[in-house]
Amino acid sequence: MSNITITDLSTARDIDDIPRPVVALSATSVTKDWEQARHQHHKAQLIYSVRGILNCEIEDGVWIVPPQCAVWIPGNLPHSSRGAGETECYCLFVEPDATPDLPKTCCTIAVSPLLRELLLKVTGFPKLYELGSREERLIATLLDELAAAPVENLHLPMPRDPRLRQLAEMLLAAPTDKTLKGDWATRIGMSERNISRLLLNEIGMSFGRWRRQLHVILALQRLSKGESVQTVALELGYENASGFVTMFRKAVGKPPARYISERMSNAETTAVPGIVLSDIT
């Protein structure tokens, strides 16, 4: 079995030395939070979360991976990852030319029941499975399913401009801060108009939508760990749960309690439909 612990996942950096187009690993952590420092490898990587919330960060953004979702990281792309609390995930490493039509950019994808079962199956294969064997044919089927998997919009884009990057980092550090855009502009030495223009140019979002998307992502992290809607709403700076639920429903398409309940109850049998954070302004 290709089974490792989360804390040993750094060994995956040597994954490029394994002479196979696809390598699968499973990893678990039941004791504490964990973090992988920024690194890269030639093989692309799929990280599928069975339990717990995973985060993947590259220069251009942050991706959240709730249970029963996966994040795709193209080959040779520097990235870091971390998990909170009890986590279980499956990692698939794929040579960039293993099959056409795989995603070219980092993204979060929905995992169908078939793709999930294939992931679980190939994790048990020897790292040096025989070429031309049944194992290799099942891996080819897995890659076909992966190429067809729908993309979910659970992405928080990060601007490149140093001043906007400073703004983003301040918002990430204090997501409940209710400071108005004009005051944020003063803090980073920009005009309000320039903030709006550069945000739209660099990440395609208004300031308000970027902050709401951040709140949805942070809320999913906390709700998936069992925190109540009321607690999450107050911690994110909402005056009451009702205002938070309204924002979440507009963004995700359903209220938070229902979303989390459906994801958890269907975890063992079905994939949750794709999540689209709508263009609310």
Side-chain angles (χ1 to χ4, degrees):
M1 294 287 288
S2 302
N3 195 295
I4 61 176
T5 65
I6 286 285
T7 52
D8 293 331
L9 197 54
S10 59
T11 59
R13 300 180 194 184
D14 301 323
I15 210 76
D16 291 333
D17 295 333
I18 299 175
R20 290 294 182 273
V22 176
V23 179
L25 303 172
S26 66
T28 59
S29 172
V30 296
T31 56
K32 60 181 181 179
D33 298 349
W34 57 269
E35 183 169 359
Q36 262 195 300
R38 184 171 291 260
H39 64 284
Q40 68 185 80
H41 28 73
H42 176 69
K43 285 183 168 71
Q45 183 178 9
L46 180 81
I47 309 176
Y48 167 55
S49 173
V50 178
R51 290 181 293 170
I53 293 285
L54 308 179
N55 282 73
C56 175
E57 183 172 353
I58 65 171
E59 183 179 5
D60 293 338
V62 178
W63 277 258
I64 180 177
V65 192
Q68 313 310 311
C69 276
V71 63
W72 173 260
I73 306 163
N76 299 310
L77 180 66
H79 61 280
S80 61
S81 55
R82 66 182 184 273
E86 183 175 345
T87 55
E88 179 182 356
C89 63
Y90 291 85
C91 299
L92 192 73
F93 296 88
V94 183
E95 286 287 346
D97 60 354
T99 187
D101 302 324
L102 290 174
K104 306 301 182 190
T105 59
C106 197
C107 59
T108 309
I109 64 171
V111 176
S112 69
L114 176 56
L115 179 55
R116 177 183 181 275
E117 292 305 314
L118 287 167
L119 282 168
L120 270 60
K121 182 68 174 178
V122 302
T123 300
F125 292 172
K127 291 180 183 178
L128 296 177
Y129 53 85
E130 186 177 348
L131 298 179
S133 65
R134 173 177 175 271
E135 285 84 357
E136 187 176 38
R137 291 192 294 273
L138 283 173
I139 287 173
T141 302
L142 184 155
L143 293 178
D144 286 342
E145 287 298 305
L146 178 58
V151 173
E152 295 189 335
N153 189 16
L154 291 175
H155 167 222
L156 186 70
M158 296 291 281
R160 290 180 177 269
D161 180 271
R163 295 163 298 176
L164 291 181
R165 194 80 176 200
Q166 180 187 2
L167 170 62
E169 290 171 355
M170 287 191 293
L171 284 171
L172 284 166
T176 64
D177 193 323
K178 295 183 179 180
T179 299
L180 298 176
K181 181 169 65 173
D183 294 326
W184 282 117
T186 300
R187 288 190 191 183
I188 62 173
M190 294 181 68
S191 70
E192 190 172 347
R193 177 177 295 181
N194 278 340
I195 281 186
S196 298
R197 179 178 58 82
L198 282 176
L199 280 174
L200 286 173
N201 286 343
E202 292 205 7
I203 66 174
M205 288 184 181
S206 68
F207 175 80
R209 186 187 169 207
W210 192 94
R211 184 152 61 174
R212 281 190 292 271
Q213 188 139 330
L214 169 63
H215 283 184
V216 168
I217 287 175
L218 293 175
L220 285 174
Q221 290 177 316
R222 297 177 182 183
L223 292 167
S224 294
K225 291 191 290 184
E227 295 185 29
S228 69
V229 170
Q230 178 76 16
T231 297
V232 171
L234 296 177
E235 287 187 354
L236 289 178
Y238 292 83
E239 294 182 358
N240 52 57
S242 177
F244 166 73
V245 169
T246 298
M247 180 279 297
F248 194 97
R249 188 198 301 268
K250 287 181 179 179
V252 176
K254 60 187 68 175
R258 178 181 165 196
Y259 167 75
I260 293 297
S261 174
E262 289 181 356
R263 182 170 290 279
M264 296 306 179
S265 64
N266 293 339
E268 296 302 321
T269 56
T270 62
V272 175
I275 304 161
V276 177
L277 299 179
S278 58
D279 293 333
I280 54 178
T281 57

